[in-house]
């Protein structure tokens, strides 16, 4: 319990556990300036008989109370709420209205040629900018954050610029700005990312740091020259949307128990595999946050460091000064680490150093890009790692995918066709009440039928039988057969379980996994 909450309890000030049900918050009413709300962590949340209820993170802040009295000009009562609750409510009350970005685009034309001014590290929800290009870029960033996008694409085409957001792993076209604004929009983004605005022939990388409702949001920016102009992609790194902890990852009980056992070994290698954007880094961060303690030295080398973890030493690779994974890993080993996280094993040199580290008493966590868990061992063998080293160092491999969840607002049951069941390898008797589920599309999910994502996992523990197979053959199909015989549940099988539970659809499972011969 915080000191402010203790004081509130002592003086009989109401303590609020949530704010979303109060009138002003539900209706997005904001009757005080945003600057005061976010600076003092205060927010009027309701009104009753001309008396306003104000939530405060520090009810003893007399300066804030006096400012509220001058602004509201009516009686008000104070209640206590935590900073996190108030920041979330502030973000909701002051957020950009749906469709505002589209209206802004429709009201602008290519004649907007005022100077593009650089403003760094400012709050997107603060006072609006006068410059129309800045307004437009801010509106895009705000809309992307509010819609839960992971990436924003500025894509020049023969007909003009297209802006697309990646939401729940799928790209959605959102806007097509007036023709002629492409250069000004790209210049604004490059200025914010501290790039060379005069360089249009070479790819560039940069980073933007902005405020949004009291929390920091990073944008990782990449530009690429194409025949129609510079293509810009921004990866949104929003700490507020990341929930660390293996218990939140959505693993089933057996996978969770097995993976937890692996990461508590004192030495060896644990690999997490999957395509880009499948949540591998979040899984590793969750594992590290679970085993982190004052008694162990945990160090990471990443490309780049996406989220800063408390109590962990994290290092970025830097190709410009020839600091790659292998070179950084050598130096990390001189820092007396107990646990090492490598962002990705990309080459033989990094793999060899990781294996040597695991054989000399270190627990190594890393990622690979492979289709399933058994293929990770095949990939390392293809890099030139000897089979006996794989058998003696690899503890286990976790493969994962992210599938879109059915939108709970528009979820409905339906009778699947025989063809659909045949494609999924199911019999009608396996269905719950003979039904499957889908989303018909609504405003909450932007008519997609999906909202949010769930994880699908495949854990291969390298036990004695798997080691024997590795020494005999590193063929991925042979390794897969051996792993399935050791009761490994495949990605497809776990996906089918989620579908039968009504979490996702068969189309999603088929999109992100594949049926193997053993599962047909």
């Amino acid at each position: 319990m915080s000191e402010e909450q203790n004081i509130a309890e002592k003086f009989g000030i109401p303590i609020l556990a949530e704010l979303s049900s109060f009138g002003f918050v539900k209706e997005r009413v904001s009757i005080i300036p945003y600057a005061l709300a976010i600076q003092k962590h205060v927010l009027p949340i309701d009104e009753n008989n001309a008396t306003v209820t104000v939530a405060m993170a520090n009810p003893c802040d007399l300066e804030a109370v006096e400012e509220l009295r001058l602004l509201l000009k009516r009686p008000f009562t104070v209640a206590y709420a935590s900073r996190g609750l108030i920041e979330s409510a502030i973000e909701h009350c002051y957020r950009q209205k749906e469709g505002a970005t589209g209206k802004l685009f429709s009201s602008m034309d290519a004649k907007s040629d005022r100077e593009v001014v650089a403003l760094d590290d400012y709050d997107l929800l603060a006072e609006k900018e006068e410059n129309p290009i800045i307004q437009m870029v801010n509106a895009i960033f705000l809309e992307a954050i509010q819609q839960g996008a992971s990436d924003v694409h500025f894509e020049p085409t023969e007909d003009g610029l297209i802006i697309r957001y990646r939401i729940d792993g799928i790209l959605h076209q959102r806007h097509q700005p007036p023709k002629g604004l492409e250069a000004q929009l790209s210049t604004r983004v490059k200025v914010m990312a501290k790039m060379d605005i005069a360089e249009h022939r070479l790819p560039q990388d940069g980073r933007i740091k902005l405020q949004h409702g009291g929390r920091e949001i990073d944008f990782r920016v990449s530009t690429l020259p194409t025949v129609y102009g510079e293509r810009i992609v921004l990866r949104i790194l929003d700490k507020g949307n990341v929930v660390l902890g293996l218990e939140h990852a959505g693993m089933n009980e057996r996978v969770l128990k097995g993976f937890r056992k692996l990461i508590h070994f004192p030495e060896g290698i644990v690999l997490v595999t999957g395509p880009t954007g499948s949540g591998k880094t979040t899984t590793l961060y969750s594992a590290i946050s679970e085993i982190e303690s004052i008694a162990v030295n945990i160090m990471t080398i990443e490309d780049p460091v996406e989220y800063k973890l408390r109590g962990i030493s994290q290092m970025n690779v830097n190709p410009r000064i020839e600091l790659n994974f292998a070179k950084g890993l050598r130096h990390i080993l001189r820092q007396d680490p107990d646990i090492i996280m490598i962002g990705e094993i990309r080459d033989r040199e990094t793999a060899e150093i990781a294996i040597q580290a695991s054989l000399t008493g270190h627990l190594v966590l890393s990622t690979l890009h492979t289709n399933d868990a058994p293929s990770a061992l095949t990939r390392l063998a293809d890099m030139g790692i000897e089979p006996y080293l794989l058998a003696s160092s690899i503890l286990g491999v976790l493969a994962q995918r992210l599938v879109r969840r059915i939108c709970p607002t528009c979820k409905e049951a339906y009778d699947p066709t025989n063809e659909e069941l045949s494609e999924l390898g199911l019999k009608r008797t396996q269905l719950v009440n003979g039904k499957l589920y889908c989303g018909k599309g609504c405003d909450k999910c932007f008519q997609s039928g999906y909202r949010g994502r769930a994880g699908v996992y495949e854990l291969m523990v390298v036990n004695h039988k798997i080691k024997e197979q590795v020494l005999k053959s590193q063929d991925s199909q042979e390794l897969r057969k051996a792993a399935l015989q050791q009761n490994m549940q495949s990605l497809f099988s776990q996906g089918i379980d989620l579908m039968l539970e009504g979490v996702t659809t068969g189309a999603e499972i088929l999109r992100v996994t594949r049926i193997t011969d053993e599962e047909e």
Side-chain angles (χ1 to χ4, degrees):
M1 186 181 292
S2 67
E3 183 180 349
E4 290 83 0
Q5 187 171 346
N6 276 326
I7 293 172
E9 199 170 79
K10 182 178 179 181
F11 287 97
I13 297 172
I15 297 173
L16 306 177
E18 61 87 30
L19 300 179
S20 59
S21 63
F22 288 90
F24 285 3
V25 181
K26 280 201 295 188
E27 297 165 19
R28 291 177 54 185
V29 175
S30 46
I31 60 175
I32 65 172
Y34 171 77
L36 174 64
I38 200 65
Q39 180 185 0
K40 296 294 187 180
H41 285 89
V42 298
L43 186 69
I45 57 173
D46 212 350
E47 186 176 30
N48 187 18
N49 297 326
T51 300
V52 178
T53 302
V54 179
M56 298 185 67
N58 181 8
C60 295
D61 188 342
L62 300 181
E63 183 181 333
V65 170
E66 186 58 31
E67 288 193 54
L68 286 167
R69 183 174 287 114
L70 291 171
L71 280 167
L72 296 175
K73 296 179 181 177
R74 51 182 144 164
F76 66 90
T77 60
V78 171
Y80 168 81
S82 68
R83 289 172 65 100
L85 279 175
I86 291 177
E87 286 178 354
S88 178
I90 288 173
E91 191 275 329
H92 178 76
C93 287
Y94 291 85
R95 72 189 300 171
Q96 178 175 277
K97 293 181 180 178
E98 296 293 341
T101 309
K103 290 178 182 177
L104 178 62
F105 284 155
S106 63
S107 68
M108 295 178 64
D109 55 39
K111 296 177 182 178
S112 177
D113 57 358
R114 279 177 275 178
E115 182 185 0
V116 177
V117 183
L119 293 173
D120 299 322
D121 200 17
Y122 64 94
D123 197 320
L124 286 169
L125 293 176
E127 294 296 322
K128 303 302 180 188
E129 299 293 337
E130 292 184 3
N131 186 289
I133 298 299
I134 295 178
Q135 283 183 7
M136 189 179 287
V137 173
N138 285 2
I140 292 167
F141 289 177
L142 267 172
E143 185 177 62
I145 293 167
Q146 291 169 3
Q147 293 186 9
S150 61
D151 301 85
V152 179
H153 291 228
F154 292 80
E155 302 174 9
T157 68
E158 188 177 5
D159 300 320
L161 186 70
I162 291 174
I163 296 172
R164 298 198 290 174
Y165 302 160
R166 187 177 295 280
I167 301 172
D168 294 334
I170 302 294
L171 281 170
H172 302 267
Q173 183 171 327
R174 282 290 180 262
H175 305 290
Q176 190 162 1
K179 197 167 177 61
L181 292 180
E182 298 96 319
Q184 294 178 68
L185 286 170
S186 65
T187 297
R188 172 58 185 165
V189 174
K190 288 169 73 174
V191 166
M192 295 176 76
K194 297 180 175 62
M195 294 177 175
D196 183 353
I197 61 172
E199 179 56 75
H200 303 287
R201 301 165 300 169
L202 293 173
Q204 296 187 68
D205 293 306
R207 205 162 187 143
I208 300 171
K209 182 181 289 186
L210 298 174
Q211 298 284 329
H212 180 255
R215 69 180 192 266
E216 278 189 2
I217 296 180
D218 284 348
F219 295 79
R220 204 166 71 213
V221 187
S222 171
T223 70
L224 187 75
T226 71
V227 292
Y228 295 118
E230 278 188 292
R231 190 179 195 277
I232 300 178
V233 175
L234 300 94
R235 166 63 57 88
I236 301 174
L237 304 173
D238 184 358
K239 294 179 183 177
N241 282 342
V242 176
V243 180
L244 297 183
L246 293 176
E247 66 277 8
H248 303 300
M251 299 178 187
N252 66 35
E253 189 175 344
R254 189 170 70 172
V255 171
L256 180 59
K257 184 178 179 181
F259 188 66
R260 274 184 166 149
K261 184 178 179 181
L262 292 179
I263 64 174
H264 282 91
F265 274 90
E267 57 192 52
I269 299 178
V270 178
L271 297 171
V272 179
T273 77
T276 300
S278 60
K280 300 187 298 296
T281 302
T282 302
T283 297
L284 287 183
Y285 281 169
S286 295
I288 285 176
S289 66
E290 183 157 314
I291 57 182
E292 185 270 332
S293 81
I294 197 68
V296 294
N297 178 19
I298 303 177
M299 303 191 71
T300 78
I301 178 165
E302 306 169 55
D303 182 22
V305 172
E306 293 194 6
Y307 302 104
K308 295 174 185 176
L309 302 177
R310 187 182 299 275
I312 309 297
S313 299
Q314 297 172 268
M315 180 198 304
N316 271 313
V317 301
N318 191 340
R320 293 180 182 175
I321 57 174
E322 298 182 355
L323 177 59
N324 54 26
F325 280 115
K327 188 174 183 179
L329 192 50
R330 285 197 193 92
H331 288 282
I332 282 177
L333 288 170
R334 297 171 191 158
Q335 294 284 314
D336 187 31
D338 297 294
I339 299 167
I340 303 168
M341 177 187 136
I342 306 168
E344 183 186 348
I345 295 178
R346 297 175 178 170
D347 51 56
R348 177 175 178 172
E349 187 179 11
T350 305
E352 287 176 340
I353 299 170
I355 287 173
Q356 289 304 317
S358 72
L359 295 175
T360 53
H362 304 87
L363 178 65
V364 179
L365 309 175
S366 188
T367 71
L368 275 175
H369 283 92
T370 61
N371 289 326
D372 56 19
S375 298
L377 300 182
T378 306
R379 173 77 185 280
L380 290 171
D382 290 343
M383 287 182 187
I385 304 302
E386 295 293 337
Y388 73 91
L389 290 174
L390 294 176
S392 57
S393 62
I394 308 295
L395 298 172
V397 185
L398 179 76
Q400 66 181 71
R401 298 287 190 280
L402 292 175
V403 295
R404 291 181 292 171
R405 291 178 177 271
I406 298 171
C407 174
T409 306
C410 59
K411 180 178 178 179
E412 62 181 13
Y414 72 99
D415 294 315
T417 64
N418 291 332
E419 291 78 8
E420 183 178 355
L421 292 176
S422 175
E423 191 175 14
L424 294 166
L426 287 175
K427 296 178 181 178
R428 201 167 291 275
T429 54
Q430 294 176 260
L431 307 184
V432 179
N433 299 322
K435 302 284 187 181
L436 288 179
Y437 296 88
C438 67
K440 62 181 180 181
C442 65
D443 292 339
K444 293 284 186 182
C445 61
F446 309 107
Q447 308 303 324
S448 69
Y450 299 97
R451 185 147 54 100
R453 290 193 284 181
V456 181
Y457 301 90
E458 172 181 278
L459 178 64
M460 182 182 77
V461 177
V462 181
N463 56 22
H464 182 66
K465 292 290 185 183
I466 302 297
K467 289 179 181 180
E468 285 183 348
Q469 181 58 48
V470 170
L471 293 172
K472 275 194 288 185
S473 169
Q474 299 84 53
D475 178 73
S476 61
Q477 292 302 318
E478 295 300 321
L479 285 168
R480 184 169 188 81
K481 287 178 183 177
L484 290 171
Q485 288 170 4
Q486 297 298 306
N487 296 320
M488 179 188 80
Q489 187 179 11
S490 69
L491 287 166
F492 179 77
S493 176
Q494 285 202 27
I496 291 295
D497 288 346
L498 286 182
M499 184 192 71
L500 295 176
E501 291 168 13
V503 174
T504 189
T505 64
E508 271 297 284
I509 301 306
L510 293 172
R511 182 179 69 86
V512 302
T513 67
R514 58 181 183 180
I515 306 176
T516 64
D517 294 338
E518 294 82 2
E519 292 163 331
E520 289 180 340

